[in-house]
């Protein structure tokens, strides 16, 4: 059963933030369903009339639409997903699966470290991930 996740968007005027939040939401539950997003716009600062509220809703929904289009580009391109897959590929190894399942104790891990030697820590490629994300905006 998939978990119900909702994305709450209050005055989403930044399409980069919207794309990031929607990407996480869509990847977490393999799509918008069964969650979705709750959209709301509130008057703020010197915006005091109904027209301001109307404009806030239109602008916010336009930003959400741009965010969704950007997420679609990221998903269709697949390069960010591939980067994440490579980053966590050790979780697919025998010992990685054992640790992820909560079955790896310190004694077992110590034996593996002594057997294999000091592990190398690969780069998380954060800069590349951010560049790939930004290129879709």
């Amino acid at each position: 059963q998939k978990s119900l996740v909702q994305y709450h968007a209050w005055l989403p005027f930044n399409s980069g933030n919207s794309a990031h939040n929607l990407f996480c939401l869509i990847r977490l539950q393999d799509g918008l369903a069964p969650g979705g997003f709750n959209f709301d716009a509130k008057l703020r600062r010197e915006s005091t009339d109904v027209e301001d509220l109307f404009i806030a809703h239109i602008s916010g929904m336009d930003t959400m639409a741009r965010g969704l289009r950007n997420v679609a580009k990221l998903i269709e391109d697949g390069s960010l997903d591939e980067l994440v897959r490579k980053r966590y590929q050790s979780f697919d190894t025998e010992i990685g699966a054992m640790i992820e399942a909560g079955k790896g104790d310190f004694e077992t891990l110590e034996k593996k470290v002594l057997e294999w030697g000091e592990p190398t820590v690969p780069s998380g490629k954060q800069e590349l991930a951010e560049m790939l994300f930004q290129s879709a905006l």
Side-chain angles (χ1 to χ4, degrees):
Q1 178 177 346
K2 292 183 180 181
S3 63
L4 176 64
V5 177
Q6 286 191 345
Y7 168 60
H8 296 277
W10 293 279
L11 298 170
F13 294 126
N14 182 312
S15 60
N17 288 346
S18 292
H20 177 264
N21 293 334
L22 288 165
F23 183 79
C24 293
L25 171 93
I26 289 168
R27 279 300 181 225
L28 181 64
Q29 63 185 25
D30 295 325
L32 287 175
F37 60 89
N38 177 19
F39 179 81
D40 190 11
K42 295 174 175 53
L43 294 178
R44 59 192 176 124
R45 294 177 278 192
E46 291 81 33
S47 298
T48 58
D49 61 29
V50 175
E51 182 182 18
D52 292 328
L53 184 60
F54 181 72
I55 291 168
H57 274 87
I58 291 171
S59 177
M61 286 310 298
D62 285 349
T63 302
M64 296 300 293
R66 278 191 299 280
L68 280 171
R69 285 179 178 219
N70 293 338
V71 168
K73 282 193 279 186
L74 280 169
I75 291 171
E76 289 168 4
D77 174 65
S79 55
L80 192 57
D81 285 335
E82 179 62 15
L83 184 66
V84 171
R85 187 196 66 73
K86 285 180 181 176
R87 174 70 176 111
Y88 295 102
Q89 68 186 1
S90 66
F91 285 58
D92 297 329
T93 65
E94 181 183 343
I95 193 165
M98 183 178 67
I99 293 168
E100 198 171 23
K103 297 178 181 175
D105 58 21
F106 285 116
E107 193 174 303
T108 304
L109 297 175
E110 181 184 30
K111 286 178 186 175
K112 291 295 184 185
V113 168
L114 293 172
E115 178 185 333
W116 296 337
E118 189 68 29
T120 58
V121 180
S123 170
K125 302 289 185 188
Q126 182 66 30
E127 286 18 314
L128 178 58
E130 289 183 27
M131 185 204 65
L132 292 171
F133 182 81
Q134 290 296 324
S135 69
L137 301 182

